[in-house]
Amino acid sequence: MKARRISILLAALWWGSLSTLGFLVVPLLFMHMPSPAAAGAMAAKLFTAQTWLSIACAFFLLLFLKGKEAVALSPSAQAAMKYVVAGLLLAVLVEFGVAPNIVNARADGGNLKFWHGLGSAMYLAQWLAAGWTLWCLSRSTTAGAA
């Protein structure tokens, strides 16, 4: 019971933070900061912080979903693990694979549009993985199990 509730909270934190940053905070930065360069620099720092939050949420989700109470989780909750792993891999790939290429493309005139588009698509895929994780975990709860 406790692992199920904590897992749902972690998945909600992960998906909610991705949603807030990607669909609210970063667009507001670009609307209200004095220049796109300043907004981009701040967004990069926020996305790095989001990556570490995503890694922590995914790590603890995996711990709770594989813990001794995991047997009590429904098959849909156990199936959520593949989405946790996918979201974790996407977060790491964006931070350590795509983000440096965005910085390099900005500095040396590389293909910024390609790298930014790839990073955005991978962020969206991570958002979907986190959302599906939350959906699977919340489906596994029943009114009687509260």
Side-chain angles (χ1 to χ4, degrees):
M1 293 296 187
K2 186 186 258 188
R4 181 182 311 186
R5 288 181 179 183
I6 292 172
S7 297
I8 291 171
L9 285 173
L10 285 167
L13 173 63
W14 185 21
W15 182 79
S17 63
L18 286 166
S19 299
T20 303
L21 181 64
F23 301 118
L24 180 66
V25 173
V26 170
L28 284 172
L29 281 175
F30 280 92
M31 281 192 278
H32 296 289
M33 293 286 284
S35 71
M42 179 56 78
K45 291 177 184 178
L46 291 171
F47 281 124
T48 294
Q50 176 61 53
T51 295
W52 291 109
L53 179 64
S54 295
I55 289 169
C57 287
F59 174 77
F60 286 112
L61 274 166
L62 291 172
L63 280 179
F64 282 108
L65 292 176
K66 279 302 218 179
K68 56 185 170 187
E69 291 185 37
V71 179
L73 295 175
S74 73
S76 66
Q78 291 186 8
M81 285 182 55
K82 64 185 168 191
Y83 298 105
V84 174
V85 172
L88 174 61
L89 289 174
L90 285 163
V92 170
L93 285 172
V94 168
E95 181 65 23
F96 299 107
V98 176
N101 284 304
I102 291 173
V103 171
N104 290 339
R106 239 181 257 268
D108 63 16
N111 195 345
L112 180 62
K113 185 176 180 180
F114 169 77
W115 288 110
H116 190 272
L118 180 62
S120 296
M122 291 172 77
Y123 188 88
L124 179 63
Q126 183 191 168
W127 178 77
L128 290 170
W132 191 250
T133 299
L134 178 58
W135 183 266
C136 288
L137 292 174
S138 63
R139 272 188 16 197
S140 69
T141 61
T142 60

